[in-house]
Amino acid sequence: MLTIALFSDKAMLPGTHVTLASLLQNSTTPLQVILFANRIPDAEKQLLLKTFELSNKHGASFTIRDFKPTATAGANALHGNITTYGRLSLPNLLPKHPSVIYLDCDLVVAGDIAKMISIPDNKVLVADGMGRRASTVDRQLFVAAKLDLEGPYFNAGVLGINLARWRGLDISLKCQTTIHKYPKMFKSADQAVLNVAQIGRAH
C-alpha cells in the first residue's frame, strides 16, 4: 500500500481538506494517508475525518498523528511557520517505511498519485516541478553555497522520498549541517535546505 504523508496546522486546514479530498477522489488504488497534525483542535480533526470518509473510494486508510515540529537553530520559518520542516523528519517519523510520498497541504491533486510518481531504488528524492536556481528567491543562498545558478532547483511540494536510502546516506545530518553553515538564508525554508543538501550533492 502506498503511503502518503501530509503535515498541517490550524492555519493550513482549508487547503488540507482540498488536498485530502482531491487525493482520494482521484486515486484508483488503496492509500495509507498519514496526517501529522501540529496543534489542530479535536473538532477540526473530526472534520478532517469526515472529509476522508466522504472522499474515500478505494479502501484507503487515514491516520492523524499529533506532531510538534522542531527547527534546527539557523533555520528560517515560512511566514512564521515551522510545520513545513516536518518533512525533514519523515525518515524518523516513519522508521518502518521504505518510502513515502509527501504532499503539501495547498494542492489540488488532479490525477492518480500512484501513476504520477514512482520512487527509484537509486535515488533519495523524486520531485515534481523543476526550475533554475537563478530564478528563485534563494539565489543568494546558492551563490553562498557556490552552486551553479543555471543548475536545477526543485519544488518540494510534491516529493517521492526513498526513506531507506535517505537513512543510509544520513541526509538528515546533511540537512542539519547545511542549516548551520548558511544560517537564516533559507527564504523558502526546508525546500531551500533540501535543494542545497540534496541536489547540491547529487544523490
Side-chain angles (χ1 to χ4, degrees):
M1 183 179 289
L2 190 63
T3 302
I4 309 295
L6 309 172
F7 288 82
S8 186
D9 55 31
K10 192 172 182 179
M12 300 159 64
L13 283 171
T16 304
H17 283 276
V18 173
T19 300
L20 181 61
S22 61
L23 169 69
L24 294 167
Q25 289 169 0
N26 286 291
S27 174
T28 60
T29 58
L31 301 175
Q32 179 185 22
V33 183
I34 302 173
L35 172 65
F36 294 94
N38 178 20
R39 295 183 294 183
I40 294 178
D42 288 343
E44 297 291 352
K45 291 178 183 177
Q46 290 303 313
L47 292 175
L48 287 165
L49 288 168
K50 187 67 173 179
T51 293
F52 167 76
E53 292 167 0
L54 292 172
S55 306
N56 185 16
K57 296 181 177 180
H58 295 283
S61 67
F62 182 51
T63 305
I64 299 176
R65 299 187 189 178
D66 287 329
F67 168 73
K68 184 177 180 180
T70 56
T72 302
N76 297 71
L78 189 63
H79 307 298
N81 192 322
I82 63 169
T83 303
T84 180
Y85 283 89
R87 77 187 112 186
L88 300 183
S89 301
L90 279 169
N92 295 325
L93 292 170
L94 301 173
K96 296 182 180 180
H97 288 67
S99 62
V100 67
I101 291 177
Y102 164 87
L103 300 176
D104 271 353
C105 284
D106 61 354
L107 302 173
V108 175
V109 183
D112 188 341
I113 197 70
K115 297 178 181 179
M116 295 166 66
I117 297 180
S118 60
I119 306 171
D121 291 337
N122 64 341
K123 300 291 183 182
V124 175
L125 296 178
V126 177
D128 180 49
M130 298 289 290
R132 294 184 309 120
R133 295 182 182 121
S135 61
T136 73
V137 297
D138 292 298
R139 177 189 175 100
Q140 184 179 357
L141 167 64
F142 297 130
V143 170
K146 297 181 171 56
L147 295 175
D148 181 6
L149 291 180
E150 295 303 311
Y153 178 93
F154 63 87
N155 184 297
V158 179
L159 293 176
I161 307 175
N162 184 330
L163 296 175
R165 187 162 175 79
W166 179 301
R167 297 183 196 103
L169 293 170
D170 204 353
I171 299 299
S172 294
L173 178 60
K174 289 182 171 69
C175 290
Q176 292 173 11
T177 301
T178 298
I179 292 170
H180 286 307
K181 189 173 183 179
Y182 308 105
K184 299 299 182 181
M185 294 189 70
F186 307 98
K187 292 184 178 181
S188 59
D190 58 310
Q191 176 172 286
V193 175
L194 284 169
N195 270 274
V196 174
Q198 172 64 23
I199 294 296
R201 288 167 175 78
H203 295 305

